[in-house]
Amino acid sequence: MNFCVEVIIVPALLLFGTLVTLVPLFILRYCCDHNRTRVRTPQHYHSSSHRQTERHHHHHQHHTNHHHSHRTKHQNHRSHLQGIDAPPGINPLEHEELPMSVTQVRQNVRPTMAAAPQRSTESHHEAFSQVAVLPQTFSIHPNDTVNFYRARMDNKNVVLRVLKETASSSEKQKFLGFASFVSGLGPHPFIPSLLGVMSAQSPLVMVVEELQQRDLLGFLWRCRQPSCDMTEKRIFTMAAQVASALDYLHSQNCIHGNVGARSVLVSGDMTAKLWGFGPAYRRRTQGSSTGEDTVIKKWQAPEVLAMRPITKSSDVWSFGILIYEMVTLGDPPFAQVMSSELLQHLQRGSHLKRPDTCSNSLYSIIRSCCHFNAKSRLSTSELIRMLKAGESSANGRTAIRVTEPFKFEKYLREAGFAEAYNYAVL
């Protein structure tokens, strides 16, 4: 009998002891797992766009497990940057992802921010206000994939170059490639500033400083009215600014290939900045260096018309045409010559005639730029010296006046454009 009791009691005690030991272990294990889950939760809370941001940071070896600690770490050295995101290679706020939506005409529009982390210690640079469609005049190369908007960002006027959401993947690649190309040129006082690129999701957006007077060609046409004055001195000043930008581009081994009043933007204080980099970007990506643009023949050098490679001297020829546009307040060059006959016209030794509104000093520069022989043309450095020397003695009091009223259809015909387009200089 005693033996039977021992057989029953001993296993029961062993089972009870095992349970007493295992239950606390299970409780401790459960508590530890629960605490670790709570610590990991913030890593999974952020939106998909934030997770993409973390992947970018990991690629650049700046990623940490806690998003806010990362923001604190980089806040000081990024304080000088503009408040807009950009893909790698484009400087401003290099990986801040910022989706944005805009409408045709809408005031006080702000970008959409889905599940964005709180930033109690930072100002909200991302907000755009007063977004409105940017009026356009005509285009040599219409671009149906891009819309333009005027907006305010960080208390300054900006232009939003927005890729339509229906754009194909190749069009998106070209859009971002062009932005990267412009960014790679580096900053220059007489090239419009690229403030950033929004690439987190559609629509893709380039943000560029706005120059209030917009393109120089339209500004010249407006100067035919009494309310706008263009003087000889201002021509020297603005031409020297464009020449400085062109000289800088040439130092970067970049041939512009599209110099003309349509490719120059003018700020509120009459500063001229060179833009119109589309042909330069196409040459960089497609490799063509011959006369690829038949629409702007009247601005092209003879060697380009002859389908020979474009050179820095070709830009200087086009710069001479730019000065001609300025002194005539927007007249096209070689107005009485058909584009198809221009090369033969130049080969016969003909050249631009001196306009009545052009001083001898400015006409001398035009002729020095527009030598038929490319080797005889001025270099950009020589051009800058001549323009600055002429500026000091130029007439800054008498406004240039053109008696003939401006007629848009006549301009299109004489400039060699087959038809009018909706033209966006950005």
Side-chain angles (χ1 to χ4, degrees), residues 69-332:
S69 65
H70 173 81
R71 294 292 302 272
T72 302
K73 178 180 177 181
H74 289 275
Q75 185 172 353
N76 290 335
H77 87 273
R78 298 193 323 191
S79 60
H80 67 286
L81 300 176
Q82 300 297 329
I84 195 70
D85 107 289
I90 300 180
N91 192 29
L93 287 190
E94 51 208 64
H95 307 299
E96 290 280 325
E97 297 201 352
L98 178 60
M100 174 188 155
S101 61
V102 291
T103 56
Q104 285 296 307
V105 179
R106 190 173 168 193
Q107 297 294 320
N108 296 322
V109 177
R110 289 176 179 268
T112 57
M113 295 288 292
Q118 295 297 315
R119 304 179 200 174
S120 58
T121 61
E122 296 183 351
S123 60
H124 290 269
H125 301 286
E126 309 85 37
F128 293 108
S129 63
Q130 304 173 23
V131 177
V133 173
L134 188 65
Q136 299 174 358
T137 51
F138 80 98
S139 179
I140 296 171
H141 296 291
N143 188 345
D144 295 332
T145 66
V146 176
N147 289 323
F148 295 87
Y149 300 86
R150 175 186 289 115
R152 292 281 293 175
M153 184 190 79
D154 291 347
N155 296 319
K156 66 177 69 174
N157 295 324
V158 297
V159 170
L160 308 180
R161 187 176 189 268
V162 181
L163 184 68
K164 292 183 179 179
E165 296 193 54
T166 56
S168 65
S169 58
S170 64
E171 289 168 338
K172 292 178 181 178
Q173 290 176 352
K174 289 179 181 177
F175 184 89
L176 292 176
F178 177 71
S180 180
F181 170 77
V182 173
S183 174
L185 296 176
H188 188 274
F190 303 124
I191 293 176
S193 298
L194 174 61
L195 302 179
V197 176
M198 298 168 63
S199 59
Q201 66 182 55
S202 294
L204 303 179
V205 181
M206 280 179 63
V207 185
V208 184
E209 69 166 318
E210 183 189 19
L211 288 95
Q212 291 85 342
Q213 300 291 345
R214 304 192 63 196
D215 62 283
L216 177 59
L217 184 57
F219 176 75
L220 292 170
W221 292 342
R222 292 194 299 275
C223 283
R224 296 184 177 216
Q225 305 298 323
S227 58
C228 177
D229 291 338
M230 174 65 81
T231 65
E232 181 192 29
K233 190 177 188 70
R234 179 167 289 171
I235 290 175
F236 272 104
T237 302
M238 297 175 78
Q241 292 166 344
V242 177
S244 175
L246 193 61
D247 182 66
Y248 171 76
L249 292 176
H250 288 177
S251 72
Q252 302 296 306
N253 293 318
C254 175
I255 299 172
H256 190 276
N258 188 29
V259 176
R262 66 191 172 272
S263 299
V264 176
L265 302 179
V266 183
S267 69
D269 64 356
M270 301 299 137
T271 299
K273 299 192 178 188
L274 183 59
W275 190 248
F277 295 117
Y281 171 65
R282 288 193 293 273
R283 282 194 305 275
R284 183 70 59 89
T285 55
Q286 299 172 10
S288 175
S289 62
T290 55
E292 73 278 351
D293 201 331
T294 59
V295 182
I296 58 171
K297 278 188 174 183
K298 291 198 173 183
W299 281 260
Q300 292 178 334
E303 64 271 16
V304 180
L305 294 174
M307 303 300 293
R308 294 200 294 272
I310 191 170
T311 65
K312 296 176 182 179
S313 292
S314 307
D315 275 346
V316 173
W317 171 285
S318 300
F319 185 88
I321 305 297
L322 167 63
I323 297 180
Y324 179 89
E325 291 181 277
M326 296 174 76
V327 298
T328 60
L329 299 184
D331 274 351

Side-chain angles (χ1 to χ4, degrees), residues 7-26:
V7 170
I8 294 172
I9 291 175
V10 171
L13 290 174
L14 291 173
L15 180 59
F16 177 76
T18 301
L19 291 173
V20 169
T21 303
L22 291 177
V23 168
L25 292 175
F26 278 119

Side-chain angles (χ1 to χ4, degrees), residues 359-408:
S359 66
N360 290 329
S361 56
L362 279 172
Y363 187 61
S364 174
I365 295 175
I366 292 175
R367 291 297 307 274
S368 297
C369 291
C370 296
H371 271 288
F372 187 88
N373 185 346
K375 294 181 180 180
S376 299
R377 295 171 202 158
L378 296 172
S379 66
T380 50
S381 58
E382 291 171 336
L383 185 55
I384 292 170
R385 284 196 297 271
M386 288 186 68
L387 289 167
K388 289 185 175 179
E391 181 184 4
S392 61
S393 59
N395 186 341
R397 297 178 303 276
T398 306
I400 295 174
R401 294 296 176 211
V402 175
T403 56
E404 184 180 358
F406 175 73
K407 295 180 180 179
F408 187 63

